[in-house]
Amino acid sequence: SSGPLKVAVTGAAGQIGYSLLFRIASGAIAGDRPVELRLLEIEPALKALEGVVMELDDCAFPNLAGIEIGSDPEKIFDGANLALLVGARPRGPGMERGDLLSANGAIFTAQGQALNKVAADDVRIGVTGNPANTNALIAASNAPDIPKERFSALTRLDHNRAISQLAAKTGAKVTDIKKMTIWGNHSATQYPDIFHAEIAGRNAAEVVGDQAWIADTFIPTVAKRGAAIIDARGASSAASAASATCDAARDWLNGTPEGDWVSMAVVSDGSYGVQEGLVSSFPVTTRDGNWEIVQGLEIDEFSRGKIDASVAELADEKNAVTELGLI
Ligand code: NAX
């Protein structure tokens, strides 16, 4: 379509925002199509955001068609074709899971309602802010006029981490690795599954040939990578999260390549025994801005147990936010 792609980003003055905005402005999602950035922050962070906007200006990006900033979601989401919900309330000292869910619930109910009111008819919404799956569920539940299929939560960083670990183990190029899958929640219970993945056309698990490595090294390394980065860097992953957020949005809008798929957390239709209505990560193909869950994969007992454990955690989170009246 014509005109710039209007991309709303929340939490724009945060760490991920500081990497993400420059990637979007330089074409990581829309290629040569101009983009307009619409940046949401809370009031106290607007001054810092003004500084980020100065830097965006100073890049003189050829395809950056405009920038709006503000703290009112109804203004910032107005006409958005793509909304990347990055801003969230981090877990503070002494904060229980219930406190975290309700703090984020307040953010994602309001943002869901605002998107429902003012976003473009073709809006796609990607949630990066944690707990991402449940935040996406809350936003979708508060946007009754937007089809639930338009919401997804980010598991692409986990997917990319899994590809990178597998490439390092096997000496393959990342581009030779196809059909990686992350199942379940973007949390330590996630299940990175290489039993359907391929390395240069060969089954990845067979190439690895070492079930103990898969179970005891690969899966925990991918699932706990976020914590390892915090340990090393003293701050949570930001540039890689921004990169994955771009990858996910670009592939959603432009389609997945033939012979490959990506991982996205999307509303379950009951596929693979995942409780209908949960926002859970699946292998998906995309086309023309729509996704489809890859069907017909054989799930063995090992994988079944891992998927079920992560889905059970999602069901718990859903029960908790239902009790809090957020959905
Ligand atoms: P930061 O704390 O650096 O930035 C978050 C920003 O959001 C802050 O500037 C804050 O003012 C803003 N914010 C808070 N409430 C807001 C609201 N109601 N409206 C608009 N903006 C609001 O966090 P950062 O490192 O950028 O991470 C952002 C989120 O991504 C966190 O929830 C984090 O846990 C999550 N992550 C998700 C990942 C994923 O793969 N799904 C990986 C990276 C990251 O951990």
Side-chain angles (χ1 to χ4, degrees), residues 55 110 143 174 247 288 315:
E55 288 203 72
V174 289
D247 287 347
D288 300 329

Side-chain angles (χ1 to χ4, degrees), residues 6-28:
K6 293 189 180 184
V7 184
V9 179
T10 74
Q15 307 193 75
I16 294 175
Y18 194 66
S19 181
L20 178 62
L21 303 180
F22 296 85
R23 296 286 306 280
I24 299 171
S26 63

Side-chain angles (χ1 to χ4, degrees), residues 10-11 13-17 40-42 45 86-88 107 111 128-130 132 154 157 186 236-237 241:
T10 74
Q15 307 193 75
I16 294 175
L40 187 72
E41 258 297 350
I42 52 173
V86 176
I107 296 173
Q111 292 183 359
T128 297
N130 280 322
L154 189 75
L157 177 55
H186 167 69
S236 58
S237 10

Side-chain angles (χ1 to χ4, degrees), residues 224-236:
K224 295 180 193 159
R225 186 72 164 177
I229 287 173
I230 292 173
D231 271 354
R233 205 173 84 86
S236 58

Side-chain angles (χ1 to χ4, degrees), residues 234-251:
S236 58
S237 10
S240 55
S243 192
T245 298
C246 289
D247 287 347
R250 182 199 61 224
D251 289 348

Side-chain angles (χ1 to χ4, degrees), residues 26-51:
S26 63
I29 294 175
D32 290 338
R33 181 174 170 191
V35 291
E36 179 183 315
L37 288 173
R38 307 187 61 85
L39 310 178
L40 187 72
E41 258 297 350
I42 52 173
E43 199 69 39
L46 284 177
K47 179 150 187 278
L49 184 54
E50 281 170 19

